[in-house]
Amino acid sequence: MEGKFRGFEVSTSDGVALVLMNEPDRLNGTTQPMKRDMTEVFTQLQMDDDVRVVVITGSGRAFCAGDDMSGRRRDWGDAQRLVPSLPPGHRDPIGTYEGLRTMSQSLNLSLRALDKPTIAAVNGLAIQTGLSLALCCDFRIASSDARLGSATLRFGLLPDEGGHYLVVQLIGLAKAMDFFMRKRILTAGEALELGLVHEVVEPEALMARSLELAAELAAGPQVAMRMLKRALYNAAELSAAHAFDDIAARTAVTDHHPDVAEGVAAFRERRPPRFS
């Protein structure tokens, strides 16, 4: 799943897929065609057995500064069009509801649904939709130049793409209330302290560190890692009894996978494991 698409491009190497938002002059602002194509790409990457880890980043001074509200027409040039455009929606209350569910929220849900580890390399501004894209990833490494926020109330709007849920999950209700109601735009250091990112590095080290983490994850036991990822997300929402049952059912699969025999053999032989 490689090539240039509407608003981004995809390349793969050694089991790692890199999704690069490539419209720096527009701060990588999202549009309906971009969201539709990106949703399809995440679906394709989920089903591609050669892809083990997905890394998402932006070009220029933004990761993604939210929806493109300029209204300017796009010239997509030779970019591939994976799916057809839809009616714009937002003309009435029902259209707004349908548009959010079908496009903005579907994009975030498709990224969140990936069983494979995902990494956001947050190179700059990550606002509104951009913030949600980053928070949908399992790991977030931020450049020290990055700025993260929602700030939708500055326009009288809501974090309608689902970002409110992700922020509450990561930092709790009280801190999320302060974050959204006060329209805060955080520095990378503040985001790290609050718990919205895992690491902060210098700008020139961002991609090297992100790809280093991607290589580490790509070398791991993929079946067990994907089972564990889903179990962890489930555990955040299930009761204790249901979470215990969920991990038991997954263990019934992973305990009998060849990776377990390899992991045990590698430990006994004091060598790095070679997982399938």
Side-chain angles (χ1 to χ4, degrees), residues 2-274:
E2 295 187 315
K4 292 180 63 176
F5 306 97
R6 292 177 289 184
F8 65 99
E9 55 194 77
V10 181
S11 58
T12 59
S13 178
D14 298 325
V16 177
L18 176 63
V19 178
L20 171 67
M21 292 174 277
N22 61 2
E23 294 192 310
D25 58 321
R26 297 174 185 260
L27 300 179
N28 301 313
T30 55
T31 62
Q32 186 222 97
M34 178 180 175
K35 291 177 182 179
R36 293 270 288 155
D37 281 358
M38 194 173 283
T39 299
E40 178 62 19
V41 161
F42 290 145
T43 302
Q44 295 283 347
L45 294 178
Q46 169 66 26
M47 301 305 294
D48 187 343
D49 289 339
D50 291 332
V51 172
R52 293 183 166 205
V53 181
V54 177
V55 178
I56 305 169
T57 193
S59 55
R61 62 188 184 93
F63 176 77
C64 170
D67 289 339
D68 182 1
M69 301 175 67
S70 69
R72 293 178 294 170
R73 292 182 61 85
R74 286 286 216 276
D75 178 12
W76 301 111
D78 60 352
Q80 300 179 55
R81 291 157 171 78
L82 289 178
V83 295
S85 298
L86 292 173
H90 293 282
R91 293 176 178 170
D92 54 45
I94 293 298
T96 295
Y97 176 82
E98 291 174 339
L100 288 170
R101 294 279 291 167
T102 303
M103 286 172 278
S104 296
Q105 293 180 358
S106 291
L107 170 59
N108 292 327
L109 289 171
S110 67
L111 177 54
R112 180 84 166 191
L114 277 171
D115 287 334
K116 303 169 183 185
T118 54
I119 301 168
V122 185
N123 55 297
L125 292 168
I127 308 297
Q128 194 245 353
T129 297
L131 175 69
S132 297
L133 278 174
L135 297 185
C136 280
C137 291
D138 306 314
F139 297 90
R140 286 164 295 284
I141 301 177
S143 160
S144 57
D145 288 342
R147 298 293 182 270
L148 300 91
S150 176
T152 53
L153 287 182
R154 296 184 182 190
F155 301 95
L157 300 171
L158 297 179
D160 47 36
E161 75 290 342
H164 69 301
Y165 171 85
L166 301 166
V167 172
V168 169
Q169 269 210 331
L170 288 169
I171 66 175
L173 178 57
K175 291 179 181 179
M177 190 71 71
D178 178 81
F179 177 75
F180 284 108
M181 290 297 188
R182 297 178 63 193
K183 307 175 284 292
R184 296 184 63 190
I185 304 293
L186 306 175
T187 65
E190 290 170 333
L192 178 65
E193 183 178 354
L194 201 57
L196 290 178
V197 301
H198 294 85
E199 296 180 42
V200 176
V201 299
E202 291 304 308
E204 61 272 15
L206 177 64
M207 286 313 301
R209 174 63 189 122
S210 299
L211 294 175
E212 178 185 34
L213 175 58
E216 174 191 331
L217 297 171
Q222 296 301 298
V223 172
M225 290 172 65
R226 296 175 198 181
M227 288 285 195
L228 179 57
K229 171 178 173 173
R230 194 53 51 207
L232 289 170
Y233 280 121
N234 287 347
E237 301 179 10
L238 294 173
S239 67
H242 286 98
F244 280 34
D245 182 74
D246 179 57
I247 197 72
R250 295 173 187 278
T251 303
V253 175
T254 57
D255 271 9
H256 299 278
H257 191 274
D259 277 348
V260 172
E262 167 60 16
V264 172
F267 175 77
R268 290 174 176 169
E269 297 165 13
R270 298 183 180 182
R271 60 171 174 81
R274 296 182 293 272

